[in-house]
Amino acid sequence: MKQFDVLILGAGASGLMCAAQLAAHGGLHVGIIEGNDQPARKLRISGGGKCNLTNTEVDASHYLGDAAFVQRVLDAFSRDDLLEFVRQGGIKPVIRKERYYFCPESSEQIITLLRRLCGTAEMLLGHRCLHVSHDAGQFIVTTDRGTFASNKLVVASGAQSYQSIGASTVGLEIAKSLHHPFKLFHPVLVGLTLQSEQFWMKELSGVSMPVCIRVGEKSLCEDLLFAHKGISGPAVLSASLYWHKGEIEIDFLPQARVERLCARSSKQISTLIPLPKRFLKAFLSAIGLDDKPCSALTPDEQSKLERLHAYRFAPAGNFGFTKAEACRGGVAVEAVDPCSMQSRSIDGLYWIGEVLDVTGELGGYNFQWAFSSAVVCARNLLRKA
Ligand SMILES: Cc1cc2nc3c(=O)[nH]c(=O)nc-3n(C[C@H](O)[C@H](O)[C@H](O)COP(=O)(O)OP(=O)(O)OC[C@H]3O[C@@H](n4cnc5c(N)ncnc54)[C@H](O)[C@@H]3O)c2cc1C
């Protein structure tokens, strides 16, 4: 059985970053077990192929998970640290919409950088992990192409969405077998499906507009895209992170107030309200209001029109794991030390990235989390070495 100092399970964003940090300081025999024939398949397709690395505003308020735990990890390897890391590697990230940092050309740039920095780490590609056991201080990792042993094991196996490109629940199976608490994965950063009362939105497939969506205490302002299956786009994807069941509220006109626009105006509603005509027609019909001059609206009709700012409904569900950009759930952070990412109960066992019960909103937050947690873990491994 081949023996390593450190085995990393998963050559995705967090696994590669961890290996790269370890290689930079040398000395450890590191193996990376990856089920796919190539590393980082999710990273490759991320951000429309240009990988949204991080965000101008990074703090725990953009994550679902234990805020103190998340902030501690983000502080240890911040957005600025990540930007410095990629710049030193020759990548100059570009900012889109004044918030999102992307690779300038393609996600391939960050993958190439991480692979190069992995140096002599042994990449065991096409090795699907089936099982992990822990015995006499050793981790035994059984794959479909052989068994490997190590003193330290870093679980960087991600979450369950996009199984078509290698995602699995192996992290939770390992947690279960090693008696670590966890929550089942649930698809998030995903479009929402509609109940029949909202089917009018389906007619708008392809229309996109800026909105604010309120879910519980959260308000997410970004674009909404009407889709054939329901509603999608950045605002909906981020809202899906916080939506469990029950109602959400959409402000379809966050940039203006109906009351002000309508005051003393004799123009038709559809002329006056600065929203796509197709949307207004469908919306007015859904709320049972004719397109007429604002001055002709009764107080009751006026308040109906105000629903543009607070359209409440309960989505039916979501588009599922095949479309979700992330998952909530994962290994419970109470069982993990945020200063090292090491398990509190099993010495030498580490958890990083999306396998943990920490999930960010849309906008680069999940890569920032994957990279920050990987660096914290690698630093601890290096200190111990
Ligand atoms: C379409 C899409 C676009 C996205 N875009 C962005 C974006 O622009 N910005 C952002 O911040 N986040 C984005 N995300 C989310 C982001 O990709 C993940 O949060 C991030 O990749 C998690 O990193 P990770 O290292 O934890 O897991 P992953 O990157 O998923 O890596 C886990 C690795 O483990 C391997 N693995 C799993 N099971 C096994 C097994 N049994 N045996 C061996 N290997 C196994 C997988 O093949 C994979 O390579 C996107 C996700 C998707 C699906």
Side-chain angles (χ1 to χ4, degrees), residues 9-15 33-36 38-43 45-48 50-54 102 127-130 156-159 161-162 165-170 189 323-326 352-355 361-368 370:
L9 174 52
S14 62
I33 293 177
E34 169 56 51
N36 289 326
Q38 45 174 293
R41 287 197 61 189
K42 229 178 229 185
L43 194 50
I45 61 165
S46 68
K50 290 200 171 183
C51 180
N52 180 193
L53 291 163
T54 186
F102 278 83
H127 286 68
R128 191 133 208 89
C129 169
L130 304 173
S157 54
S161 66
Y162 274 69
I165 52 167
S168 79
T169 52
V170 74
L189 306 196
K323 301 272 185 224
E325 293 205 3
I352 58 174
E354 210 188 313
V355 72
E361 293 168 7
L362 196 83
Y365 295 106
N366 287 304
F367 282 134
Q368 178 72 57

CSV table of all heavy atoms in Angstrom, one decimal, residues 9-15 33-36 38-43 45-48 50-54 102 127-130 156-159 161-162 165-170 189 323-326 352-355 361-368 370, ligand 1:
chain,number,residue,atom,x,y,z
A,9,LEU,N,-8.2,14.5,-0.6
A,9,LEU,CA,-9.3,13.9,-1.3
A,9,LEU,C,-10.0,14.9,-2.1
A,9,LEU,O,-10.8,15.7,-1.5
A,9,LEU,CB,-10.2,13.1,-0.4
A,9,LEU,CG,-11.4,12.5,-1.0
A,9,LEU,CD1,-11.1,11.6,-2.2
A,9,LEU,CD2,-12.1,11.6,0.0
A,10,GLY,N,-9.8,15.0,-3.4
A,10,GLY,CA,-10.5,16.0,-4.3
A,10,GLY,C,-9.5,17.0,-4.9
A,10,GLY,O,-8.9,17.7,-4.1
A,11,ALA,N,-9.4,17.0,-6.2
A,11,ALA,CA,-8.5,18.0,-6.9
A,11,ALA,C,-9.4,19.1,-7.5
A,11,ALA,O,-9.3,19.4,-8.7
A,11,ALA,CB,-7.7,17.3,-7.9
A,12,GLY,N,-10.2,19.7,-6.6
A,12,GLY,CA,-11.0,20.8,-7.0
A,12,GLY,C,-10.4,22.1,-6.5
A,12,GLY,O,-9.2,22.1,-6.2
A,13,ALA,N,-11.2,23.2,-6.3
A,13,ALA,CA,-10.6,24.4,-5.9
A,13,ALA,C,-9.8,24.3,-4.6
A,13,ALA,O,-8.7,24.8,-4.5
A,13,ALA,CB,-11.7,25.4,-5.8
A,14,SER,N,-10.5,23.8,-3.6
A,14,SER,CA,-9.8,23.8,-2.3
A,14,SER,C,-8.7,22.8,-2.2
A,14,SER,O,-7.6,23.1,-1.7
A,14,SER,CB,-10.8,23.5,-1.2
A,14,SER,OG,-11.4,22.2,-1.3
A,15,GLY,N,-8.8,21.6,-2.8
A,15,GLY,CA,-7.8,20.6,-2.8
A,15,GLY,C,-6.5,21.1,-3.5
A,15,GLY,O,-5.4,20.9,-3.0
A,33,ILE,N,-6.1,12.6,-4.5
A,33,ILE,CA,-6.9,11.6,-5.1
A,33,ILE,C,-8.1,12.3,-5.8
A,33,ILE,O,-8.8,13.1,-5.1
A,33,ILE,CB,-7.4,10.6,-4.0
A,33,ILE,CG1,-6.2,9.8,-3.5
A,33,ILE,CG2,-8.5,9.7,-4.5
A,33,ILE,CD1,-6.6,8.9,-2.3
A,34,GLU,N,-8.3,12.0,-7.0
A,34,GLU,CA,-9.4,12.7,-7.8
A,34,GLU,C,-10.1,11.6,-8.7
A,34,GLU,O,-9.4,10.9,-9.4
A,34,GLU,CB,-8.8,13.8,-8.7
A,34,GLU,CG,-9.7,14.4,-9.7
A,34,GLU,CD,-11.0,15.0,-9.1
A,34,GLU,OE1,-11.0,15.7,-8.2
A,34,GLU,OE2,-12.1,14.6,-9.6
A,35,GLY,N,-11.4,11.6,-8.6
A,35,GLY,CA,-12.2,10.7,-9.3
A,35,GLY,C,-12.2,10.9,-10.8
A,35,GLY,O,-12.3,10.0,-11.6
A,36,ASN,N,-12.1,12.2,-11.2
A,36,ASN,CA,-12.1,12.5,-12.7
A,36,ASN,C,-10.8,12.3,-13.3
A,36,ASN,O,-9.8,12.3,-12.6
A,36,ASN,CB,-12.5,14.0,-12.9
A,36,ASN,CG,-14.0,14.3,-12.6
A,36,ASN,OD1,-14.8,13.4,-12.8
A,36,ASN,ND2,-14.3,15.4,-12.0
A,38,GLN,N,-9.4,14.5,-15.0
A,38,GLN,CA,-8.7,15.8,-15.0
A,38,GLN,C,-9.1,16.5,-13.8
A,38,GLN,O,-10.2,16.3,-13.3
A,38,GLN,CB,-9.0,16.6,-16.3
A,38,GLN,CG,-10.5,16.6,-16.6
A,38,GLN,CD,-10.8,17.5,-17.8
A,38,GLN,OE1,-10.7,18.7,-17.7
A,38,GLN,NE2,-11.2,16.9,-18.9
A,39,PRO,N,-8.3,17.4,-13.2
A,39,PRO,CA,-8.6,18.1,-12.0
A,39,PRO,C,-9.6,19.3,-12.3
A,39,PRO,O,-9.7,19.7,-13.4
A,39,PRO,CB,-7.3,18.6,-11.5
A,39,PRO,CG,-6.5,18.8,-12.7
A,39,PRO,CD,-6.9,17.8,-13.7
A,40,ALA,N,-10.2,19.8,-11.2
A,40,ALA,CA,-10.9,21.0,-11.2
A,40,ALA,C,-12.0,21.2,-12.3
A,40,ALA,O,-12.0,22.3,-12.9
A,40,ALA,CB,-9.9,22.2,-11.3
A,41,ARG,N,-12.8,20.2,-12.5
A,41,ARG,CA,-13.8,20.4,-13.6
A,41,ARG,C,-14.9,21.4,-13.2
A,41,ARG,O,-15.4,22.1,-14.1
A,41,ARG,CB,-14.5,19.0,-13.9
A,41,ARG,CG,-13.5,18.1,-14.6
A,41,ARG,CD,-14.2,17.0,-15.3
A,41,ARG,NE,-15.2,17.4,-16.3
A,41,ARG,CZ,-16.0,16.5,-16.9
A,41,ARG,NH1,-16.0,15.2,-16.5
A,41,ARG,NH2,-16.9,16.9,-17.8
A,42,LYS,N,-15.2,21.6,-12.0
A,42,LYS,CA,-16.2,22.6,-11.6
A,42,LYS,C,-15.6,24.0,-11.8
A,42,LYS,O,-16.2,24.9,-12.2
A,42,LYS,CB,-16.6,22.4,-10.1
A,42,LYS,CG,-18.1,22.5,-10.0
A,42,LYS,CD,-18.6,22.2,-8.6
A,42,LYS,CE,-19.6,21.1,-8.5
A,42,LYS,NZ,-20.2,20.9,-7.2
A,43,LEU,N,-14.3,24.1,-11.3
A,43,LEU,CA,-13.6,25.4,-11.5
A,43,LEU,C,-13.6,25.8,-12.9
A,43,LEU,O,-13.8,27.0,-13.3
A,43,LEU,CB,-12.2,25.2,-10.9
A,43,LEU,CG,-11.3,26.4,-10.6
A,43,LEU,CD1,-12.0,27.4,-9.8
A,43,LEU,CD2,-10.0,25.9,-9.9
A,45,ILE,N,-15.7,25.2,-15.4
A,45,ILE,CA,-17.0,25.7,-16.0
A,45,ILE,C,-17.5,26.9,-15.2
A,45,ILE,O,-18.5,27.5,-15.6
A,45,ILE,CB,-18.1,24.6,-16.1
A,45,ILE,CG1,-18.4,24.1,-14.7
A,45,ILE,CG2,-17.6,23.5,-17.1
A,45,ILE,CD1,-19.7,23.3,-14.7
A,46,SER,N,-16.9,27.3,-14.1
A,46,SER,CA,-17.4,28.3,-13.2
A,46,SER,C,-17.4,29.7,-13.9
A,46,SER,O,-16.6,29.9,-14.7
A,46,SER,CB,-16.6,28.3,-11.9
A,46,SER,OG,-15.3,28.8,-12.2
A,47,GLY,N,-18.3,30.5,-13.4
A,47,GLY,CA,-18.4,31.9,-13.8
A,47,GLY,C,-18.5,32.0,-15.3
A,47,GLY,O,-17.8,32.9,-15.9
A,48,GLY,N,-19.2,31.1,-15.9
A,48,GLY,CA,-19.4,31.1,-17.4
A,48,GLY,C,-18.0,30.9,-18.1
A,48,GLY,O,-17.8,31.4,-19.2
A,50,LYS,N,-15.1,31.8,-16.8
A,50,LYS,CA,-14.1,32.8,-16.5
A,50,LYS,C,-13.9,32.9,-15.0
A,50,LYS,O,-13.2,33.7,-14.5
A,50,LYS,CB,-14.5,34.2,-17.0
A,50,LYS,CG,-14.4,34.2,-18.5
A,50,LYS,CD,-14.3,35.6,-19.0
A,50,LYS,CE,-13.9,35.6,-20.5
A,50,LYS,NZ,-13.7,37.0,-21.0
A,51,CYS,N,-14.5,32.0,-14.2
A,51,CYS,CA,-14.3,31.8,-12.8
A,51,CYS,C,-14.4,33.2,-12.0
A,51,CYS,O,-13.5,33.9,-12.0
A,51,CYS,CB,-13.0,31.2,-12.5
A,51,CYS,SG,-12.6,31.0,-10.8
A,52,ASN,N,-15.5,33.3,-11.3
A,52,ASN,CA,-15.7,34.5,-10.4
A,52,ASN,C,-15.0,34.1,-9.1
A,52,ASN,O,-15.5,33.4,-8.3
A,52,ASN,CB,-17.2,34.7,-10.2
A,52,ASN,CG,-17.5,35.9,-9.3
A,52,ASN,OD1,-18.6,36.0,-8.9
A,52,ASN,ND2,-16.5,36.7,-9.0
A,53,LEU,N,-13.7,34.7,-9.0
A,53,LEU,CA,-12.8,34.3,-7.9
A,53,LEU,C,-13.2,34.8,-6.5
A,53,LEU,O,-13.1,34.1,-5.5
A,53,LEU,CB,-11.4,34.8,-8.2
A,53,LEU,CG,-10.7,34.2,-9.3
A,53,LEU,CD1,-9.5,35.1,-9.7
A,53,LEU,CD2,-10.1,32.9,-8.9
A,54,THR,N,-13.7,36.0,-6.5
A,54,THR,CA,-14.0,36.6,-5.2
A,54,THR,C,-14.8,37.9,-5.5
A,54,THR,O,-15.2,38.1,-6.6
A,54,THR,CB,-12.7,36.9,-4.3
A,54,THR,OG1,-13.1,37.3,-3.0
A,54,THR,CG2,-11.8,37.9,-4.9
A,102,PHE,N,-13.1,38.4,-11.7
A,102,PHE,CA,-13.1,37.3,-12.6
A,102,PHE,C,-11.7,37.1,-13.2
A,102,PHE,O,-10.9,38.0,-13.2
A,102,PHE,CB,-14.0,37.5,-13.8
A,102,PHE,CG,-15.5,37.2,-13.6
A,102,PHE,CD1,-16.3,38.1,-13.0
A,102,PHE,CD2,-16.0,36.0,-14.0
A,102,PHE,CE1,-17.6,37.9,-12.8
A,102,PHE,CE2,-17.3,35.7,-13.8
A,102,PHE,CZ,-18.2,36.6,-13.1
A,127,HIS,N,-9.1,8.1,-9.9
A,127,HIS,CA,-9.2,7.3,-8.7
A,127,HIS,C,-10.4,7.7,-7.9
A,127,HIS,O,-10.4,8.8,-7.2
A,127,HIS,CB,-8.0,7.4,-7.8
A,127,HIS,CG,-6.7,6.7,-8.4
A,127,HIS,ND1,-6.1,7.1,-9.5
A,127,HIS,CD2,-6.1,5.6,-7.9
A,127,HIS,CE1,-5.1,6.3,-9.7
A,127,HIS,NE2,-5.0,5.4,-8.8
A,128,ARG,N,-11.5,6.9,-8.0
A,128,ARG,CA,-12.7,7.3,-7.2
A,128,ARG,C,-12.6,6.8,-5.8
A,128,ARG,O,-12.4,5.6,-5.6
A,128,ARG,CB,-13.9,6.7,-8.0
A,128,ARG,CG,-15.2,7.2,-7.6
A,128,ARG,CD,-16.1,7.6,-8.7
A,128,ARG,NE,-17.1,8.7,-8.2
A,128,ARG,CZ,-16.8,10.0,-8.3
A,128,ARG,NH1,-15.7,10.4,-8.8
A,128,ARG,NH2,-17.7,10.8,-7.8
A,129,CYS,N,-12.7,7.6,-4.8
A,129,CYS,CA,-12.6,7.2,-3.4
A,129,CYS,C,-14.0,6.4,-3.1
A,129,CYS,O,-15.1,7.0,-3.3
A,129,CYS,CB,-12.4,8.4,-2.5
A,129,CYS,SG,-12.6,8.0,-0.8
A,130,LEU,N,-13.8,5.3,-2.5
A,130,LEU,CA,-15.0,4.5,-2.1
A,130,LEU,C,-15.2,4.5,-0.6
A,130,LEU,O,-16.3,4.5,-0.1
A,130,LEU,CB,-14.8,3.0,-2.6
A,130,LEU,CG,-14.5,2.8,-4.1
A,130,LEU,CD1,-14.2,1.4,-4.4
A,130,LEU,CD2,-15.7,3.3,-4.9
A,156,ALA,N,-11.4,17.3,0.7
A,156,ALA,CA,-11.7,18.5,-0.1
A,156,ALA,C,-12.6,18.0,-1.2
A,156,ALA,O,-12.5,18.4,-2.4
A,156,ALA,CB,-10.4,19.0,-0.6
A,157,SER,N,-13.6,17.2,-0.9
A,157,SER,CA,-14.4,16.5,-1.9
A,157,SER,C,-15.6,17.3,-2.4
A,157,SER,O,-16.4,16.7,-3.2
A,157,SER,CB,-14.8,15.1,-1.5
A,157,SER,OG,-15.4,15.2,-0.2
A,158,GLY,N,-15.8,18.5,-1.9
A,158,GLY,CA,-16.9,19.3,-2.4
A,158,GLY,C,-18.3,18.8,-2.0
A,158,GLY,O,-18.4,17.9,-1.1
A,159,ALA,N,-19.3,19.3,-2.7
A,159,ALA,CA,-20.7,18.9,-2.4
A,159,ALA,C,-21.3,18.2,-3.6
A,159,ALA,O,-20.6,17.8,-4.5
A,159,ALA,CB,-21.4,20.2,-2.0
A,161,SER,N,-23.8,19.0,-6.0
A,161,SER,CA,-24.4,19.4,-7.2
A,161,SER,C,-23.4,19.1,-8.4
A,161,SER,O,-22.2,19.1,-8.3
A,161,SER,CB,-24.7,20.9,-7.1
A,161,SER,OG,-23.5,21.7,-7.0
A,162,TYR,N,-24.0,19.0,-9.6
A,162,TYR,CA,-23.3,18.7,-10.8
A,162,TYR,C,-22.6,17.3,-10.7
A,162,TYR,O,-21.4,17.2,-10.9
A,162,TYR,CB,-22.3,19.8,-11.2
A,162,TYR,CG,-22.9,20.9,-12.0
A,162,TYR,CD1,-23.9,21.8,-11.4
A,162,TYR,CD2,-22.6,21.1,-13.3
A,162,TYR,CE1,-24.4,22.8,-12.1
A,162,TYR,CE2,-23.2,22.2,-14.0
A,162,TYR,CZ,-24.1,23.0,-13.4
A,162,TYR,OH,-24.7,24.0,-14.1
A,165,ILE,N,-20.2,16.0,-13.4
A,165,ILE,CA,-18.8,16.3,-13.5
A,165,ILE,C,-18.0,15.8,-12.3
A,165,ILE,O,-17.0,16.4,-11.9
A,165,ILE,CB,-18.5,17.7,-13.9
A,165,ILE,CG1,-19.2,18.7,-13.0
A,165,ILE,CG2,-18.9,18.0,-15.3
A,165,ILE,CD1,-18.7,20.1,-13.1
A,166,GLY,N,-18.5,14.8,-11.6
A,166,GLY,CA,-17.7,14.2,-10.6
A,166,GLY,C,-18.1,14.5,-9.1
A,166,GLY,O,-17.6,13.9,-8.2
A,167,ALA,N,-19.1,15.4,-8.9
A,167,ALA,CA,-19.5,15.7,-7.5
A,167,ALA,C,-20.1,14.4,-6.9
A,167,ALA,O,-20.7,13.6,-7.6
A,167,ALA,CB,-20.5,16.8,-7.5
A,168,SER,N,-19.9,14.3,-5.6
A,168,SER,CA,-20.4,13.1,-4.9
A,168,SER,C,-20.7,13.5,-3.4
A,168,SER,O,-20.4,14.6,-3.0
A,168,SER,CB,-19.4,12.0,-5.0
A,168,SER,OG,-18.4,12.2,-4.0
A,169,THR,N,-21.3,12.5,-2.7
A,169,THR,CA,-21.5,12.7,-1.3
A,169,THR,C,-20.5,12.0,-0.5
A,169,THR,O,-20.7,11.7,0.7
A,169,THR,CB,-22.9,12.1,-1.0
A,169,THR,OG1,-23.0,10.8,-1.4
A,169,THR,CG2,-24.0,12.9,-1.6
A,170,VAL,N,-19.3,11.7,-1.1
A,170,VAL,CA,-18.3,10.9,-0.4
A,170,VAL,C,-17.9,11.6,0.9
A,170,VAL,O,-17.6,10.9,1.9
A,170,VAL,CB,-17.1,10.6,-1.3
A,170,VAL,CG1,-16.2,11.8,-1.5
A,170,VAL,CG2,-16.3,9.4,-0.7
A,189,LEU,N,-28.2,28.1,-4.7
A,189,LEU,CA,-27.7,28.9,-5.9
A,189,LEU,C,-28.3,28.3,-7.1
A,189,LEU,O,-27.6,27.8,-8.0
A,189,LEU,CB,-26.2,28.9,-5.9
A,189,LEU,CG,-25.5,29.4,-4.7
A,189,LEU,CD1,-24.0,29.8,-5.0
A,189,LEU,CD2,-26.1,30.6,-4.1
A,323,LYS,N,-28.7,21.4,-11.5
A,323,LYS,CA,-28.5,22.8,-12.0
A,323,LYS,C,-27.9,23.7,-10.9
A,323,LYS,O,-27.6,24.9,-11.1
A,323,LYS,CB,-29.9,23.5,-12.3
A,323,LYS,CG,-30.6,22.7,-13.4
A,323,LYS,CD,-30.2,23.3,-14.8
A,323,LYS,CE,-31.0,22.6,-15.9
A,323,LYS,NZ,-30.3,22.2,-17.0
A,324,ALA,N,-27.8,23.2,-9.7
A,324,ALA,CA,-27.4,24.1,-8.5
A,324,ALA,C,-25.9,24.4,-8.6
A,324,ALA,O,-25.1,23.5,-8.8
A,324,ALA,CB,-27.8,23.4,-7.2
A,325,GLU,N,-25.6,25.6,-8.3
A,325,GLU,CA,-24.2,26.0,-8.3
A,325,GLU,C,-23.5,25.6,-7.0
A,325,GLU,O,-22.3,25.7,-6.9
A,325,GLU,CB,-24.0,27.5,-8.7
A,325,GLU,CG,-24.4,27.8,-10.1
A,325,GLU,CD,-23.7,29.0,-10.7
A,325,GLU,OE1,-22.9,29.6,-10.0
A,325,GLU,OE2,-24.1,29.3,-11.8
A,326,ALA,N,-24.3,25.3,-6.0
A,326,ALA,CA,-23.7,24.9,-4.7
A,326,ALA,C,-24.7,24.2,-3.9
A,326,ALA,O,-25.9,24.0,-4.3
A,326,ALA,CB,-23.2,26.2,-3.9
A,352,ILE,N,-12.1,20.9,4.2
A,352,ILE,CA,-12.0,22.2,3.6
A,352,ILE,C,-13.0,22.3,2.4
A,352,ILE,O,-13.4,21.4,1.9
A,352,ILE,CB,-10.6,22.5,3.1
A,352,ILE,CG1,-10.1,21.5,2.1
A,352,ILE,CG2,-9.6,22.6,4.2
A,352,ILE,CD1,-8.7,21.8,1.4
A,353,GLY,N,-13.3,23.6,2.1
A,353,GLY,CA,-14.2,23.9,1.0
A,353,GLY,C,-15.7,23.6,1.2
A,353,GLY,O,-16.2,23.7,2.4
A,354,GLU,N,-16.3,23.2,0.2
A,354,GLU,CA,-17.8,23.1,0.2
A,354,GLU,C,-18.3,21.9,0.9
A,354,GLU,O,-19.5,21.8,1.2
A,354,GLU,CB,-18.3,23.2,-1.3
A,354,GLU,CG,-19.7,23.8,-1.4
A,354,GLU,CD,-20.3,23.6,-2.8
A,354,GLU,OE1,-19.6,23.9,-3.8
A,354,GLU,OE2,-21.5,23.3,-2.8
A,355,VAL,N,-17.5,21.0,1.2
A,355,VAL,CA,-17.9,19.8,2.0
A,355,VAL,C,-18.4,20.2,3.4
A,355,VAL,O,-19.2,19.5,4.1
A,355,VAL,CB,-16.8,18.7,2.1
A,355,VAL,CG1,-15.7,19.1,3.0
A,355,VAL,CG2,-17.4,17.4,2.5
A,361,GLU,N,-23.2,33.2,-1.0
A,361,GLU,CA,-24.1,33.7,-2.0
A,361,GLU,C,-23.4,33.7,-3.4
A,361,GLU,O,-22.2,33.4,-3.4
A,361,GLU,CB,-24.4,35.2,-1.7
A,361,GLU,CG,-25.3,35.4,-0.5
A,361,GLU,CD,-25.4,36.8,0.0
A,361,GLU,OE1,-24.9,37.7,-0.7
A,361,GLU,OE2,-25.9,37.0,1.1
A,362,LEU,N,-24.1,34.0,-4.4
A,362,LEU,CA,-23.5,34.0,-5.7
A,362,LEU,C,-22.5,35.2,-5.8
A,362,LEU,O,-22.8,36.2,-5.2
A,362,LEU,CB,-24.6,34.2,-6.8
A,362,LEU,CG,-24.2,33.9,-8.2
A,362,LEU,CD1,-24.3,32.4,-8.4
A,362,LEU,CD2,-25.1,34.7,-9.1
A,363,GLY,N,-21.4,35.1,-6.4
A,363,GLY,CA,-20.6,36.3,-6.6
A,363,GLY,C,-19.1,36.1,-6.2
A,363,GLY,O,-18.4,37.0,-5.8
A,364,GLY,N,-18.6,34.8,-6.2
A,364,GLY,CA,-17.2,34.6,-5.9
A,364,GLY,C,-17.0,34.1,-4.5
A,364,GLY,O,-15.9,33.8,-4.1
A,365,TYR,N,-18.1,34.1,-3.7
A,365,TYR,CA,-18.0,33.8,-2.3
A,365,TYR,C,-17.6,32.3,-2.0
A,365,TYR,O,-16.9,32.0,-1.0
A,365,TYR,CB,-19.3,34.1,-1.5
A,365,TYR,CG,-19.6,35.5,-1.5
A,365,TYR,CD1,-20.6,36.1,-2.3
A,365,TYR,CD2,-18.9,36.4,-0.8
A,365,TYR,CE1,-20.9,37.4,-2.4
A,365,TYR,CE2,-19.1,37.8,-0.8
A,365,TYR,CZ,-20.1,38.3,-1.6
A,365,TYR,OH,-20.4,39.6,-1.6
A,366,ASN,N,-18.0,31.4,-2.9
A,366,ASN,CA,-17.7,30.0,-2.6
A,366,ASN,C,-16.2,29.7,-3.0
A,366,ASN,O,-15.6,28.9,-2.3
A,366,ASN,CB,-18.7,29.1,-3.3
A,366,ASN,CG,-20.0,29.2,-2.6
A,366,ASN,OD1,-20.1,28.9,-1.4
A,366,ASN,ND2,-21.0,29.7,-3.3
A,367,PHE,N,-15.6,30.3,-4.0
A,367,PHE,CA,-14.2,30.1,-4.2
A,367,PHE,C,-13.4,30.8,-3.2
A,367,PHE,O,-12.4,30.2,-2.7
A,367,PHE,CB,-13.8,30.6,-5.6
A,367,PHE,CG,-14.2,29.7,-6.7
A,367,PHE,CD1,-14.8,30.1,-7.9
A,367,PHE,CD2,-14.0,28.3,-6.6
A,367,PHE,CE1,-15.2,29.2,-8.9
A,367,PHE,CE2,-14.4,27.4,-7.6
A,367,PHE,CZ,-15.0,27.9,-8.7
A,368,GLN,N,-13.8,32.0,-2.7
A,368,GLN,CA,-13.1,32.6,-1.6
A,368,GLN,C,-13.0,31.7,-0.4
A,368,GLN,O,-12.0,31.5,0.2
A,368,GLN,CB,-13.7,33.9,-1.2
A,368,GLN,CG,-13.0,34.6,-0.1
A,368,GLN,CD,-11.7,35.3,-0.4
A,368,GLN,OE1,-11.6,36.1,-1.3
A,368,GLN,NE2,-10.6,34.9,0.3
A,370,ALA,N,-13.4,28.3,-0.4
A,370,ALA,CA,-12.6,27.1,-0.8
A,370,ALA,C,-11.1,27.5,-0.6
A,370,ALA,O,-10.4,26.7,0.0
A,370,ALA,CB,-12.9,26.7,-2.2
B,1,LIG,C1,-21.8,25.8,-12.9
B,1,LIG,C2,-21.1,26.3,-11.6
B,1,LIG,C3,-20.5,27.6,-11.6
B,1,LIG,C4,-19.9,28.1,-10.5
B,1,LIG,N1,-19.4,29.3,-10.5
B,1,LIG,C5,-18.8,29.8,-9.4
B,1,LIG,C6,-18.1,31.1,-9.4
B,1,LIG,O1,-18.0,31.7,-10.5
B,1,LIG,N2,-17.6,31.5,-8.3
B,1,LIG,C7,-17.7,30.8,-7.1
B,1,LIG,O2,-17.2,31.3,-6.0
B,1,LIG,N3,-18.2,29.6,-7.0
B,1,LIG,C8,-18.8,29.1,-8.2
B,1,LIG,N4,-19.3,27.8,-8.1
B,1,LIG,C9,-19.2,27.1,-6.9
B,1,LIG,C10,-17.8,26.5,-6.8
B,1,LIG,O3,-17.5,25.8,-8.0
B,1,LIG,C11,-17.7,25.5,-5.6
B,1,LIG,O4,-18.2,26.1,-4.4
B,1,LIG,C12,-16.2,25.1,-5.4
B,1,LIG,O5,-15.7,24.5,-6.5
B,1,LIG,C13,-16.0,24.2,-4.2
B,1,LIG,O6,-14.7,23.9,-4.1
B,1,LIG,P1,-14.3,22.5,-3.4
B,1,LIG,O7,-12.8,22.3,-3.6
B,1,LIG,O8,-14.9,22.4,-2.1
B,1,LIG,O9,-15.1,21.4,-4.3
B,1,LIG,P2,-14.9,21.0,-5.9
B,1,LIG,O10,-14.3,22.2,-6.6
B,1,LIG,O11,-16.2,20.6,-6.3
B,1,LIG,O12,-13.9,19.8,-5.9
B,1,LIG,C14,-14.2,18.6,-5.3
B,1,LIG,C15,-13.4,17.5,-6.1
B,1,LIG,O13,-13.6,16.3,-5.4
B,1,LIG,C16,-13.7,15.3,-6.4
B,1,LIG,N5,-14.5,14.2,-5.9
B,1,LIG,C17,-15.7,14.1,-5.4
B,1,LIG,N6,-16.1,12.9,-5.0
B,1,LIG,C18,-15.0,12.1,-5.2
B,1,LIG,C19,-14.7,10.8,-4.9
B,1,LIG,N7,-15.6,9.9,-4.4
B,1,LIG,N8,-13.4,10.3,-5.3
B,1,LIG,C20,-12.5,11.1,-5.8
B,1,LIG,N9,-12.7,12.4,-6.0
B,1,LIG,C21,-14.0,12.9,-5.7
B,1,LIG,C22,-14.5,16.0,-7.5
B,1,LIG,O14,-14.4,15.3,-8.8
B,1,LIG,C23,-13.9,17.4,-7.5
B,1,LIG,O15,-12.8,17.5,-8.4
B,1,LIG,C24,-19.9,27.3,-9.3
B,1,LIG,C25,-20.4,26.0,-9.3
B,1,LIG,C26,-21.0,25.5,-10.4
B,1,LIG,C27,-21.6,24.1,-10.4
